[in-house]
Amino acid sequence: QVQLVESGGGLVQPGGSLRLSCAASGSIFGIYTMYWYRQARGKQRELVAAITNGGSTNYIDSVKGRFTISRDNAKNTVYLQMNSLKPEDTAIYYCNADIRLTRLGQTRNDYWGQGTQVSVSS
């Protein structure tokens, strides 16, 4: 069984910073692209950032220049450094990943963590 466990959320003032972590564990053959999503109250879940296993990154426009996604392949962990936080960044943040359990198995991306709450408020 695969588990994704997020941590690092909290309450921060506008302009502050947080660093989120997400560790994947279980019987995993390979992890390919890793993602951070967020879901604000009353809104749909949106993709915030992605990073391939080669280190290429993509971000939604609203976080470019403020958020940085990174990963440690040896630890099966993805990070999201969030700087200059704004109230509109308030949401539950989830990680997701393209994971293959066996060498010949299908790549799946239906594993989700429990989420970590990020609240930006003065």
Side-chain angles (χ1 to χ4, degrees), residues 2-115:
V2 173
Q3 282 192 316
L4 298 176
V5 179
E6 302 99 337
S7 61
L11 173 63
V12 63
Q13 292 186 340
S17 298
L18 285 173
R19 188 189 193 214
L20 306 183
S21 299
C22 173
S25 62
S27 181
I28 297 172
F29 171 78
I31 301 178
Y32 305 96
T33 302
M34 302 185 82
Y35 310 89
W36 282 102
Y37 286 78
R38 67 185 179 188
Q39 187 167 18
R41 186 172 298 181
K43 295 188 176 181
Q44 288 190 331
R45 190 172 297 189
E46 65 176 351
L47 177 60
V48 175
I51 183 168
T52 68
N53 54 349
S56 297
T57 59
N58 276 293
Y59 303 90
I60 56 171
D61 287 345
S62 60
V63 308
K64 285 181 180 177
R66 300 189 298 120
F67 289 11
T68 302
I69 189 171
S70 61
R71 63 191 287 171
D72 184 334
N73 291 332
K75 296 180 178 180
N76 288 344
T77 299
V78 63
Y79 305 97
L80 188 67
Q81 177 66 43
M82 305 185 294
N83 299 328
S84 302
L85 282 160
K86 304 176 180 180
E88 51 264 42
D89 295 317
T90 295
I92 299 175
Y93 284 71
Y94 299 90
C95 73
N96 180 247
D98 297 332
I99 294 174
R100 186 175 296 180
L101 302 184
T102 62
R103 185 173 67 86
L104 298 178
Q106 187 177 12
T107 300
R108 297 172 54 175
N109 68 348
D110 53 350
Y111 299 107
W112 292 90
Q114 81 288 350

